[in-house]
Amino acid sequence: MNKLSRSLENTLNIIMALALAVMVVLVFGNVVLRYLFNSGITWSEEMSRYLFIWLTFLGAIGAFKNKEHLGVDMLIKRLPNKMKRVVLVISDLLILAVLFLVLDGSWKMTMINIDSKAPATGLPLAFVYGTGILVSISMGVMTIQNLYQVVFNKIKDEDLVKISDSEELISLHEDEFVTDDIMISKEEKKA
């Protein structure tokens, strides 16, 4: 399962890098053509916009997998482990409900616009609205997997808090945040 997860993450990263590279080339090329040759690529702006949409949504999948979305965990960190599990289950169920709404809305918009074509590229607009379908299914699978791990005690107690502290925040408040890594580094400085 880890091998499949890693290969999917690598594929996701490659697709995002390619989308970003194509966007840069299209936008830069269009600017150069416009200013130097008084012409341009007619579909460049539209394609860049669609690639940006896909890049954003694919990035959201990667951030969700790595638990890098914003969250507040002041209360959760203070709860006992049993309550952390209960809160995590409730949180995952709420996430699944929201992802279902995103899936439902994206599916409806995709079906409505399946015959509509973009003016410059001629791509079906379902290409744009399909991002919501991909994101909701991907994040839903990850959430169900996480829910399974929590319910059947296959997750460590230290992994019950889904939010990881940012390095900048830790460096600003070194005295307030005490983790094993920081304690080791302080002991090494004293020695």
Side-chain angles (χ1 to χ4, degrees):
M1 188 70 171
N2 274 344
K3 193 175 183 181
L4 176 66
S5 177
R6 251 182 274 124
S7 67
L8 286 173
E9 186 175 5
N10 288 339
T11 304
L12 183 71
N13 290 337
I14 289 169
I15 291 170
M16 288 190 316
L18 286 173
L20 183 61
V22 170
M23 275 175 45
V24 168
V25 167
L26 285 175
V27 171
F28 182 73
N30 207 22
V31 168
V32 168
L33 285 172
R34 193 176 309 130
Y35 283 106
L36 294 181
F37 301 106
N38 218 12
S39 69
I41 307 168
T42 56
W43 51 269
S44 167
E45 180 189 346
E46 189 174 280
M47 192 64 195
S48 296
R49 187 178 329 124
Y50 294 157
L51 287 172
F52 184 69
I53 292 168
W54 273 90
L55 183 67
T56 303
F57 278 84
L58 293 176
I61 295 171
F64 189 80
K65 183 192 179 301
N66 296 331
K67 299 177 177 148
E68 294 175 343
H69 283 283
L70 291 177
V72 179
D73 63 348
M74 282 187 341
L75 174 66
I76 296 169
K77 281 186 174 181
R78 300 182 198 293
L79 293 174
N81 285 337
K82 268 194 182 212
M83 283 305 296
K84 284 180 184 176
R85 287 184 187 280
V86 169
V87 169
L88 195 55
V89 167
I90 293 170
S91 168
D92 283 345
L93 291 174
L94 287 172
I95 289 170
L96 283 174
V98 170
L99 289 173
F100 176 76
L101 293 174
V102 171
L103 176 65
D104 184 50
S106 297
W107 180 259
K108 288 176 182 174
M109 289 303 294
T110 302
M111 290 299 111
I112 288 170
N113 290 296
I114 202 147
D115 293 327
S116 300
K117 303 273 188 218
T121 59
L123 286 171
L125 289 179
F127 174 76
V128 178
Y129 294 109
T131 57
I133 296 171
L134 178 67
V135 166
S136 57
I137 290 173
S138 301
M139 288 182 180
V141 168
M142 287 184 257
T143 304
I144 290 169
Q145 180 184 8
N146 188 46
L147 198 55
Y148 171 81
Q149 290 175 343
V150 172
V151 169
F152 293 105
N153 291 329
K154 297 189 183 282
I155 191 169
K156 299 175 198 162
D157 288 341
E158 58 266 9
D159 293 334
L160 289 174
V161 178
K162 291 171 105 176
I163 301 162
S164 54
D165 294 324
S166 71
E167 293 173 6
E168 298 87 23
L169 185 62
I170 291 173
S171 66
L172 286 174
H173 303 285
E174 269 188 50
D175 298 328
E176 296 172 23
F177 294 106
V178 179
T179 63
D180 293 337
D181 296 340
I182 293 174
M183 289 302 290
I184 291 169
S185 67
K186 283 184 178 180
E187 290 172 7
E188 290 172 357
K189 288 179 185 176
K190 288 179 183 177

